[in-house]
Amino acid sequence: MNNDAGVGRPVMSQSIQITLENDIAVVRLNDPDTLNAVTVEMIEGLDRALDQVVSGARAMVLTGAGRAFCSGANLGAGLGETADDPTQSDAGAVLESHINPLMMRLRHLPVPWISAVRGAAAGVGASLALAADMIVASETAFFLQAFSRIGLVPDGGSSHLLIRTLGRPHAMELMLLGDRLPAAKALEWGLINQVAPDAEMDARALELAARLAQGAASLGLIRRLAWTAVDGDWSDTLALERDLQRAAGRTEDHKEGLSAFQDKRSPRFRGA
C-alpha cells in the first residue's frame, strides 16, 4: 500500500503521533503530562490518524507516550462536564458526539490492530485498549474501571467487552469495585494476549503487527466475522461466513495462497 506519511516519518498533532513504516501504522496517544488523558481534541486527532491507517497500512499498533497508555477522560478539559444544576447535566453527551463514533470506527477498521499497554489503561482508556484484536501489556500495566469511583457507569463499550470476554462475575467485580487489574492477572483471566517486560513490550507488539501486515486481505474480513460472532446469533454468523468467503475467494491473496500451498512455499500476500 502507499505510505502517504512517508517511510518512518512521524506525523504529529498536538495529542496524536502516527508513524507509517513497512505497512505498519504505530499510533501513539501523545500527552504524557496527563498520562494521555482523553480530550475531544485527542479523539478528533485519533479519528484523523485512522484515515491514514486505512489508506496506508495493513496493521496498526495503538499505544501511549510516556509511562501510561491512557488515564481515562480528562475531566478538567470538558469531558464529563456537567451543569451546575444536576437535572440539566448530561455526562453522556460526549459519548454520543465523539467517543461512541470512534469506538464504532475502531470496531469496523478494515485492518487488524494491536494495543500495546504500558502503565495505566483506565476508564475510557481501558476501552480503547481492550477493543483491539490483540493486546500486549507490559509488566507495569494495569486496567481500571474507574467509573464507579466518581459515580458514573462504564462507557466506551467497556461493559460489552468485559462481559463477553471475562463473563459476568469477573466483569462485575471490576466494574462495581473499581479495583486495578494488574497485567499478570489480566493474562490469567484471558483478557489480554501477552505480558512482556517493560523494555520489550514495544518490540513484542511490533513483531505481532509485522505478522499481521504480511497477512492476506482476508484478515479484515476475519475481524468482521469475529465481531458478528460476539454480537450476533448462529444464523447471522453462518450467513456472513458465506458472504465473506465469496469475497475472500476472489482476492489475489487467495490465488497466491493456493499457489504457495501447491508449490510448498510460504505465500507472499499483498493485502489485495
Side-chain angles (χ1 to χ4, degrees):
M1 291 186 177
N2 293 329
N3 188 342
D4 296 335
V7 174
R9 189 175 72 214
V11 178
M12 295 290 295
S13 72
Q14 184 173 350
S15 59
I16 297 292
Q17 180 187 54
I18 176 171
T19 302
L20 295 168
E21 187 171 8
N22 298 325
D23 290 326
I24 300 170
V26 177
V27 179
R28 198 177 303 275
L29 309 180
N30 190 44
D31 190 6
D33 290 343
T34 68
L35 301 181
N36 303 311
V38 173
T39 63
V40 166
E41 189 272 336
M42 180 180 283
I43 296 168
E44 293 174 348
L46 182 52
D47 190 59
R48 290 191 296 271
L50 292 179
D51 290 337
Q52 297 183 58
V53 173
V54 171
S55 65
R58 291 171 60 187
M60 179 179 80
V61 175
L62 179 64
T63 191
R67 58 192 178 90
F69 178 80
C70 176
S71 58
N74 190 331
L75 301 180
L79 260 71
E81 184 177 1
T82 57
D84 292 336
D85 179 358
T87 65
Q88 300 301 312
S89 67
D90 185 358
V94 73
L95 301 180
E96 183 177 358
S97 63
H98 287 79
I99 292 175
N100 291 352
L102 174 64
M103 298 308 296
M104 287 299 294
R105 187 168 189 196
L106 287 169
R107 168 184 167 152
H108 292 294
L109 203 67
V111 300
W113 64 285
I114 296 163
S115 60
V117 182
R118 178 182 287 105
V124 73
S127 302
L128 286 170
L130 297 174
D133 301 320
M134 287 183 280
I135 303 149
V136 178
S138 77
E139 292 174 334
T140 64
F142 64 89
F143 301 86
L144 175 63
Q145 293 295 300
F147 304 97
S148 64
R149 296 184 175 191
I150 56 172
L152 292 176
V153 303
D155 62 27
S158 56
S159 59
H160 181 286
L161 293 165
L162 290 170
I163 290 288
R164 284 162 172 77
T165 304
L166 296 178
R168 188 179 60 83
H170 283 322
M172 292 294 279
E173 178 181 341
L174 294 177
M175 292 188 292
L176 292 175
L177 298 180
D179 291 338
R180 293 186 179 191
L181 180 67
K185 180 67 75 172
L187 181 65
E188 178 185 328
W189 282 4
L191 188 63
I192 64 177
N193 297 90
Q194 293 187 26
V195 176
D198 195 73
E200 298 177 14
M201 183 203 68
D202 293 327
R204 291 270 192 96
L206 285 172
E207 286 173 8
L208 282 176
R211 292 181 61 185
L212 294 174
Q214 294 167 8
S218 62
L219 295 189
L221 304 181
I222 291 171
R223 293 197 78 242
R224 287 181 60 188
L225 281 176
W227 278 103
T228 296
V230 167
D231 297 333
D233 59 25
W234 179 241
S235 61
D236 291 337
T237 300
L238 290 175
L240 186 59
E241 284 178 346
R242 185 266 176 272
D243 291 342
L244 295 185
Q245 197 68 288
R246 176 178 55 215
R250 293 175 177 175
T251 62
E252 292 299 317
D253 281 345
H254 173 57
K255 294 178 183 178
E256 166 63 11
L258 286 179
S259 177
F261 177 77
Q262 292 166 354
D263 295 343
K264 298 182 179 180
R265 60 175 174 82
S266 297
R268 295 182 291 271
F269 293 128
R270 299 186 298 111

